[in-house]
Amino acid sequence: MSTTTHTRPSPPAPWRSAFESHLSSMPSPEFVFASLHPSPSPQTPTPYLPRLRYCIYRGMWSQLPENHHNNAPQNPRVYDSDLPTFTTDVRMQKVGELFASSAGKASKEEQVRGSGGGGPCEAVYWIKENGMQWRIKGTAFIVAPDIEGEEKESSGVRTVKSEIGARMRVVEGGEDKVGEWSWATELTGHFGNCSPAMRGSWRNPPPGHPVTGEPDKDHQLAQKVTDLHDPIARSNFRVVIIKPDEVEATDLSDPETARRHKYTFVADAQDGMGEWKEEELWP
């Protein structure tokens, strides 16, 4: 596995346990994901405009949630991370936005259809069952089918493996299995964790395109996909990984004791791992 990871002991982020506990109390772990869309006109005063949509939290990267309906091959438990994930369709605007607003400002079709991205983002989770709001600020990266198996890695693949790999840590007892862990296996595992109906959505007609007639037989609504390697669904399926720089937990469960806790990641200049600094703030 070509990546940058760290084998020295490193504990989970101090906010991780509470975050996952709160999300587990939700009937469905929905959140609002915000990205930046390039302004449609060069005459506008700002180069980007905000775009928001609801997404579903799919666990932390390298810690695929258990699902007894998922018959996809699974990676051994080698890595842990504090990197929230969700799934999307490469044809959705958010994918292009994460490329266009990244440091490399990639916009070519072949770039956007591959791994990469790294544009700024925010994710907000409102857990009304607990009176908690979580806000994650950082950058988001796309994992596509080219993440492994290509003769030559693209710059996007190298960026994902470097930026995300820097925040992946080897778990206790995982050192001897590092070579068995695969990015492509993890990607297929996320596809397998989706229901057949959800997998079928990646065979839908192109999102956002005008309805001008009957779509072709390969792109129909309400399909169910059971093949983990369905070529059309897999060509459109993507995993998005959020790399947090700042996390805010606002506790509004009791008006008399309401607080906001802000966690800021301070990277280590030598290895990129770093640590989280916590501040207690008024809400």
Side-chain angles (χ1 to χ4, degrees):
M1 181 195 68
S2 175
T3 184
T4 303
T5 51
H6 301 270
T7 57
R8 68 177 174 84
S10 176
W15 50 267
R16 163 87 173 268
S17 177
F19 175 75
E20 292 188 315
S21 175
H22 291 156
L23 262 63
S24 69
S25 69
M26 301 175 70
S28 176
E30 300 166 358
F31 68 98
V32 176
F33 180 77
S35 54
L36 295 176
H37 187 86
S39 177
S41 170
Q43 277 71 47
T44 55
T46 55
Y48 296 99
L49 300 172
R51 291 290 185 268
L52 301 94
R53 73 287 287 168
Y54 278 97
C55 299
I56 302 292
Y57 170 70
R58 300 290 184 183
M60 296 291 181
W61 177 250
S62 74
Q63 291 286 307
L64 191 70
E66 292 186 11
N67 179 351
H68 68 274
H69 295 294
N70 185 358
N71 60 356
Q74 303 283 306
N75 273 317
R77 290 293 184 182
V78 173
Y79 295 105
D80 190 15
S81 79
D82 308 307
L83 307 169
T85 66
F86 64 95
T87 59
T88 192
D89 190 314
V90 70
R91 300 170 295 174
M92 295 288 189
Q93 288 188 336
K94 70 174 80 67
V95 176
E97 290 163 359
L98 293 173
F99 277 87
S101 62
S102 69
K105 294 182 168 43
S107 59
K108 294 181 180 179
E109 176 70 15
E110 62 268 25
Q111 293 174 310
V112 174
R113 290 201 64 86
S115 300
C121 70
E122 287 198 13
V124 176
Y125 309 72
W126 168 240
I127 301 92
K128 65 179 181 180
E129 292 80 5
N130 303 92
M132 289 290 304
Q133 175 182 280
W134 288 85
R135 181 191 302 274
I136 296 178
K137 304 175 184 179
T139 49
F141 296 85
I142 308 294
V143 181
D146 68 343
I147 195 69
E148 279 183 352
E150 299 293 324
E151 185 175 341
K152 183 179 180 181
E153 289 186 343
S154 69
S155 61
V157 168
R158 293 194 300 271
T159 295
V160 171
K161 290 184 176 181
S162 174
E163 293 291 330
I164 298 304
R167 295 278 192 96
M168 293 165 60
R169 52 187 177 268
V170 177
V171 300
E172 185 177 355
E175 296 86 352
D176 296 335
K177 298 180 181 179
V178 167
E180 301 174 27
W181 196 93
S182 161
W183 292 80
T185 298
E186 198 73 4
L187 180 63
T188 299
H190 274 275
F191 187 75
N193 254 10
C194 298
S195 69
M198 185 66 192
R199 296 175 206 161
S201 71
W202 289 295
R203 292 183 60 118
N204 279 354
H209 283 224
V211 179
T212 56
E214 184 66 22
D216 65 67
K217 63 181 180 63
D218 291 326
H219 298 89
Q220 299 280 333
L221 295 173
Q223 297 187 67
K224 292 186 178 181
V225 171
T226 57
D227 181 2
L228 292 173
H229 301 285
D230 180 276
I232 296 174
R234 288 301 302 270
S235 70
N236 293 322
F237 173 75
R238 299 291 183 272
V239 171
V240 183
I241 307 174
I242 300 174
K243 182 182 178 183
D245 296 319
E246 184 178 297
V247 176
E248 288 185 353
T250 305
D251 185 350
L252 302 174
S253 58
D254 184 346
E256 294 186 359
T257 59
R259 291 289 189 276
R260 179 187 307 188
H261 290 264
K262 184 171 77 171
Y263 304 87
T264 304
F265 186 77
V266 181
D268 188 306
Q270 292 186 338
D271 63 11
M273 286 295 286
E275 60 181 350
W276 290 92
K277 301 295 187 181
E278 181 181 357
E279 296 178 85
E280 185 176 22
L281 311 172
W282 296 114

